Amino acid sequence: MAEEQTSNVILGIIGGSGLYHLDQLTFVKEVNPTTPWGAPSSPITISSLPTGEQIAFIARHGTHHTHQPTTVPFAANIAALKHLGVKAILAFSAVGSLREEIRPGDFIIPNQIIDRTKGVRQASFFDGTSMVAHATFGDPFSKVFSAFLAPRVKEVLKEATGDTVQLHTDKTVVCMEGPLFSTRAESHMYRAWGGDIINMSVLPEAKLAREAEISYALIATATDYDAWREGEEPVTVAEVIKTLHTNAETSRKVASAVISALHAAVLSKEITSDVEGGMKYSIVTQPPHQKQEDREKLSYILPYFD
């Protein structure tokens, strides 16, 4: 699979609902890798910045939104990006708001996750192997990466929208199973738990990125108020679509403005040092009890099995 590698692709972008491509980049090539965990949800587009650096982009739900949240091939997406050389991932996601102050159209950089998926998604690269591994996940997003992003995203939003769109940080995202939206009772429960926003796709994406030793941060864009507002109709797809396209356009502006600085920060290890080497001591099963076929499979993403 060496032919798929592109040595200077160290930054990956994952586009969420509505964000299926980036602007102001020069197309280099499209790759369609097949990983030990299957094929990614879309071809990976390699593009270059004006300065020549290359980045990788993948559409989480497919180029034409053909993957529902539960069936997104998360493991293949993360594995493919890691095999290309990616060391940091900036992910985008549409979310519902659980707080009055987080208005539809606002941007959020969360720092915590509450898992409400139902165990039907592959949450670990070690599932089904002869090995057990316990990666640290107390801080599910890279703290240094998110801190690097926040002032830059805030500046871009101010330039692009004035004071119309606000950036919220240090928020908790609830990840639910879907594809149906929340009931009112669930929405109120998530608020009581301390949830600020809700989506269907940050997990297991963030967990798999951690296992692959990839620095991961999320920029979320609010499309609606979920179902907690009494006296109002619950969220519908039609309501979401109204805001989705505007959010996607603003997301493209944000991505275009921060990519160059992000690439430099990855190159200098400024935003990757907190995850590199993190799996070395997370693997509990000792080598004599690790099956060779499992070692070969995991060598696709981790250097400890070469």
Side-chain angles (χ1 to χ4, degrees):
M1 300 179 186
E3 69 276 9
E4 296 163 4
Q5 295 179 329
T6 308
S7 59
N8 61 340
V9 179
I10 58 176
L11 175 63
I13 309 291
I14 297 179
S17 298
L19 186 61
Y20 308 117
H21 68 275
L22 295 178
D23 296 332
Q24 299 177 349
L25 296 172
T26 302
F27 176 83
V28 175
K29 64 180 177 179
E30 198 173 77
V31 295
N32 291 276
T34 298
T35 79
W37 295 272
S41 54
S42 79
I44 299 175
T45 302
I46 308 298
S47 301
S48 67
L49 306 174
T51 47
E53 297 95 343
Q54 295 183 354
I55 64 110
F57 177 86
I58 188 169
R60 182 187 292 115
H61 297 284
T63 308
H64 303 290
H65 208 115
T66 51
H67 295 282
Q68 65 165 297
T70 302
T71 59
V72 169
F74 291 103
N77 289 352
I78 298 298
L81 290 173
K82 177 61 184 284
H83 196 66
L84 285 170
V86 167
K87 298 180 182 298
I89 290 173
L90 173 57
F92 287 85
S93 176
V95 300
S97 171
L98 297 171
R99 301 293 165 189
E100 190 70 44
E101 65 273 17
I102 302 176
R103 303 166 301 173
D106 280 358
F107 278 50
I108 310 96
I109 298 177
N111 67 338
Q112 279 298 327
I113 305 173
I114 294 174
D115 189 355
R116 281 282 292 166
T117 60
K118 298 177 180 177
V120 295
R121 310 180 185 195
Q122 181 178 354
S124 171
F125 284 114
F126 293 84
D127 285 354
T129 73
S130 57
M131 284 170 258
V132 175
H134 298 284
T136 179
F137 203 58
D139 294 307
F141 304 101
S142 167
K143 295 172 74 173
V144 291
F145 192 170
S146 295
F148 181 91
L149 275 176
R152 291 165 174 81
V153 173
K154 188 173 184 178
E155 182 179 351
V156 176
L157 291 178
K158 187 169 183 61
E159 290 177 358
T161 70
D163 293 322
T164 304
V165 174
Q166 298 296 313
L167 174 67
H168 306 268
T169 59
D170 298 329
K171 300 300 182 182
T172 296
V173 53
V174 177
C175 186
M176 63 176 286
E177 192 58 65
L180 278 69
F181 294 124
S182 309
T183 67
R184 290 194 191 277
E186 289 169 335
S187 195
H188 283 295
M189 178 180 69
Y190 299 146
R191 281 167 49 82
W193 283 358
D196 299 299
I197 54 176
I198 183 166
N199 84 346
M200 302 178 187
S201 58
V202 72
L203 293 177
E205 191 171 272
K207 289 183 176 181
L208 294 162
R210 182 61 54 85
E211 285 189 343
E213 298 184 348
I214 298 174
S215 186
Y216 179 93
L218 179 72
I219 295 179
T221 57
T223 58
D224 59 85
Y225 274 118
D226 203 52
W228 59 272
R229 278 179 149 195
E230 298 294 341
E232 293 187 9
E233 288 299 312
V235 59
T236 65
V237 169
E239 180 185 353
V240 169
I241 295 292
K242 288 180 187 176
T243 312
L244 194 62
H245 295 303
T246 301
N247 285 0
E249 183 60 35
T250 308
S251 293
R252 277 189 283 274
K253 291 178 181 177
V254 167
S256 296
V258 304
I259 281 175
S260 184
L262 275 180
H263 191 281
V266 178
L267 198 60
S268 68
K269 298 189 176 183
E270 182 180 351
I271 62 172
T272 59
S273 59
D274 60 342
V275 296
E276 286 188 344
M279 291 302 295
K280 186 174 183 179
Y281 301 106
S282 297
I283 301 162
V284 179
T285 310
Q286 295 301 302
H289 304 286
Q290 300 171 1
K291 292 181 179 179
Q292 183 58 32
E293 59 266 33
D294 294 333
R295 290 181 61 86
E296 291 174 0
K297 181 178 183 179
L298 289 162
S299 70
Y300 192 87
I301 58 166
L302 290 171
Y304 315 115
F305 302 104
D306 288 343

